[in-house]
Amino acid sequence: MSELQFPPLFQGVPLEGQADPFDKAIALAVMGTDPGTVAYNLDGGILRATLIFTPEVPLEQAMTMLPVCGLGFQAALGALAPPEVAVHLEWDGNIRVNGATCGRLRVQASGTDPSATPDWLVVGLELEFESQAGNPGENPDRTYLMEEGCSEITPDQLLESWVRHTLYWINRWQEDGPRPVHSDWRGLAQNLGEEIEIGGEAGTFVGLDEDFGMLLRTGDTTKLIPLTTLLEGTS
């Protein structure tokens, strides 16, 4: 495989075998590696990649990188896949292709205080190209790119495209604020306006606050679930 091509200021850290790019990115971030580092592993029919950020805003705003990376993925797959392939994004990071779960985004930061600026924040992408169990179609709520007309797309192509399109959305957010991110993300949102259950709580997903917190309505009460509740932990 030839060396992957990333935009300026992005640099790749390729991994092989069972090495987890999410864990690797956290280790690199703790050591103070440059922002824009892309740790990735393309082995085994799974695209696994993690971007490292060094935010300059409080965590509650920096968490916007999760939906930003989701928009980047939707644009990336949209540029490579047949036009009938539809991508939708769930608030908690799950990615749906043609209505079924196909992958996820995950996030971790150096701390959990919403008002403090974290030293680092990482967003990981995991996407399965084919069933690891060899039984595609057994679970109707689970799909794989190979089953959705995307057999000509390779993991390296999709990774390069994801980084490029995510950079575009980072720049939009920095230049224009959260409004365009909100607008486009809402158009791709799964279950918006519907009854859902998340984190053990049930209600109607009625919208988002400025920092992408979920507004969950139960009866006459609307509760805010901050995006920071999706953080996997601290180091």
Side-chain angles (χ1 to χ4, degrees):
M1 181 185 298
S2 60
E3 184 176 351
L4 300 191
Q5 300 298 310
F6 296 120
L9 303 182
F10 283 82
Q11 52 281 331
V13 177
L15 304 173
E16 297 179 345
Q18 300 300 313
D20 186 348
F22 197 73
D23 291 341
K24 180 65 173 180
I26 292 170
L28 291 171
V30 169
M31 292 189 297
T33 195
D34 293 333
T37 296
V38 186
Y40 63 92
N41 189 331
L42 307 182
D43 286 354
I46 304 175
L47 165 57
R48 293 179 291 162
T50 302
L51 300 179
I52 298 176
F53 301 96
T54 54
E56 298 179 354
V57 295
L59 179 61
E60 61 185 351
Q61 298 171 26
M63 286 293 294
T64 303
M65 289 302 97
L66 184 66
V68 159
C69 286
L71 289 174
F73 175 80
Q74 187 277 334
L77 186 58
L80 297 171
E84 63 271 15
V85 175
V87 177
H88 289 90
L89 306 172
E90 295 190 43
W91 180 81
D92 62 3
N94 284 331
I95 296 170
R96 288 185 173 262
V97 175
N98 290 341
T101 301
C102 191
R104 65 166 179 158
L105 292 163
R106 52 196 299 213
V107 61
Q108 189 164 331
S110 61
T112 58
D113 182 351
S115 63
T117 300
D119 296 327
W120 51 265
L121 182 144
V122 300
V123 178
L125 168 67
E126 297 175 357
L127 191 86
E128 294 192 58
F129 274 66
E130 55 188 319
S131 171
Q132 303 303 295
N135 56 353
E138 182 173 316
N139 181 353
D141 195 46
R142 182 79 199 182
T143 193
Y144 309 89
L145 285 191
M146 292 294 187
E147 305 303 315
E148 300 298 338
C150 300
S151 59
E152 296 185 3
I153 301 175
T154 62
D156 55 325
Q157 286 177 322
L158 186 54
L159 173 55
E160 289 176 336
S161 186
W162 179 54
V163 174
R164 288 196 306 272
H165 286 282
T166 295
L167 176 60
Y168 166 81
W169 275 106
I170 292 171
N171 290 335
R172 285 289 306 274
W173 175 67
Q174 290 178 332
E175 294 170 4
D176 302 327
R179 185 179 297 275
V181 181
H182 266 263
S183 177
D184 277 53
W185 191 90
R186 286 175 62 90
L188 301 170
Q190 183 81 10
N191 300 324
L192 186 61
E194 299 177 2
E195 292 287 327
I196 66 168
E197 183 173 342
I198 189 161
E201 299 191 57
T204 303
F205 180 15
V206 295
L208 305 164
D209 77 347
E210 183 179 28
D211 296 316
F212 273 88
M214 173 182 281
L215 299 175
L216 191 68
R217 180 180 296 160
T218 304
D220 295 330
T221 303
T222 299
K223 180 176 181 178
L224 171 64
I225 304 176
L227 204 54
T228 51
T229 59
L230 300 178
L231 286 166
E232 295 198 7
T234 59
S235 296

